[in-house]
Amino acid sequence: MEGRFITFEGGEGTGKSTQARMLADALERKSIAAVLTREPGGTPGAEAIRGLLLDNALDWNAEGEALLFAAARADHVANVIQPAVEAGKWVICDRFLDSSRAYQGGEGSISDADIMTLHSIGSRGYLPDLTILVEVDDAEREARLSARDGDESDRIGGKSATYHAKVAARFHALAEAETQRFVIVDGLGTPEDVHARVLQAVQDRLGGIS
Ligand code: TYD
């Protein structure tokens, strides 16, 4: 049987990495083989590119950044994601294409059409079966980020609160424009509360896990 490809998206501090792990664990408990992975990264080559992208000492412009993310994704899709889905596994990925659209796309930088073109060149346009956008409000995100990172954020995580609010708005717009693929999950509450919402959404959209 063909597997599934599910991505988690959202700004920093939304709890999506915790939710990705909890979903992968829940699937395993239901005897569904799951692969938990993340972007940028997930293969040795893509992890090497991740190091370049998140290095505070480097200063990529928007174009270079978008190309590096697309290159990392190409390696990840070809060597991990697609083979696992074809082998019948459920791949859970912490960030994917929509992070490029929300972070690298947007006003005055790379157009959404160009990001999609890079994805079609790099990964033959490979898309998730379901994308879970975990949302929290701006105040909650700022509180969680300063509790998590303090002064230690990476090159992208360390950008201003205004930047992160714009990213959150772009994610929201993407979800509203593609309601077939996206589901928005409220990230407020305990990890268990949010996990229950995630499981419900996966069951509603894809079935097979109840
Ligand atoms: P990471 O430490 O994984 O952040 P988080 O825990 O919030 O997911 O760092 C990934 C950073 O890279 C994050 O700031 C978002 C950014 N990013 C992009 O800008 N474009 C992309 O395509 C991807 C996958 C990530």
Side-chain angles (χ1 to χ4, degrees):
M1 198 189 96
E2 186 76 349
R4 300 274 189 282
F5 178 31
I6 301 174
T7 58
F8 278 84
E9 297 282 6
E12 270 97 322
T14 54
K16 70 187 161 35
S17 305
T18 303
Q19 292 305 323
R21 193 177 59 245
M22 288 175 89
L23 176 59
D25 290 347
L27 292 173
E28 291 281 349
R29 281 197 302 276
K30 293 173 193 288
S31 304
I32 295 173
V35 174
L36 176 63
T37 186
R38 67 157 184 194
E39 290 205 347
T43 64
E47 292 288 337
I49 295 175
R50 176 188 178 89
L52 297 174
L53 278 161
L54 300 184
D55 187 342
N56 278 315
L58 300 176
D59 188 20
W60 301 105
N61 65 14
E63 290 76 9
E65 200 171 281
L67 285 159
L68 284 170
F69 277 113
R73 186 162 300 128
D75 198 47
H76 192 206
V77 167
N79 293 309
V80 172
I81 299 173
Q82 215 166 356
V85 171
E86 282 166 9
K89 296 182 180 155
W90 288 45
V91 176
I92 313 299
C93 191
D94 181 1
R95 296 196 181 282
F96 191 66
L97 171 67
D98 301 299
S99 281
S100 286
R101 303 172 76 192
Y103 285 84
Q104 281 70 51
E107 75 288 345
S109 47
I110 316 283
S111 72
D112 194 55
D114 282 350
I115 303 255
M116 296 307 280
T117 300
L118 293 183
H119 188 56
S120 95
I121 296 168
S123 305
R124 281 159 278 107
Y126 194 68
L127 286 179
D129 299 301
L130 178 66
T131 297
I132 299 171
L133 174 60
V134 184
E135 283 192 331
V136 297
D137 58 46
D138 291 350
E140 175 72 15
R141 185 185 51 252
E142 280 166 40
R144 289 186 190 184
L145 268 185
S146 59
R148 183 186 79 175
D149 293 345
D151 298 330
E152 306 261 299
S153 24
D154 60 49
R155 196 176 60 79
I156 293 173
K159 293 190 179 181
S160 71
T162 321
Y163 173 82
H164 289 296
K166 283 188 183 151
V167 167
R170 281 201 286 272
F171 272 126
H172 192 82
L174 292 173
E176 300 232 297
E178 262 183 90
T179 51
Q180 292 274 64
R181 175 163 68 85
F182 274 92
V183 62
I184 296 178
V185 165
D186 179 2
L188 280 186
T190 66
E192 289 72 24
D193 292 337
V194 183
H195 176 58
R197 290 174 206 138
V198 166
L199 278 185
Q200 188 65 52
V202 172
Q203 176 59 24
D204 289 349
R205 293 300 189 91
L206 301 179
I209 61 160
S210 63

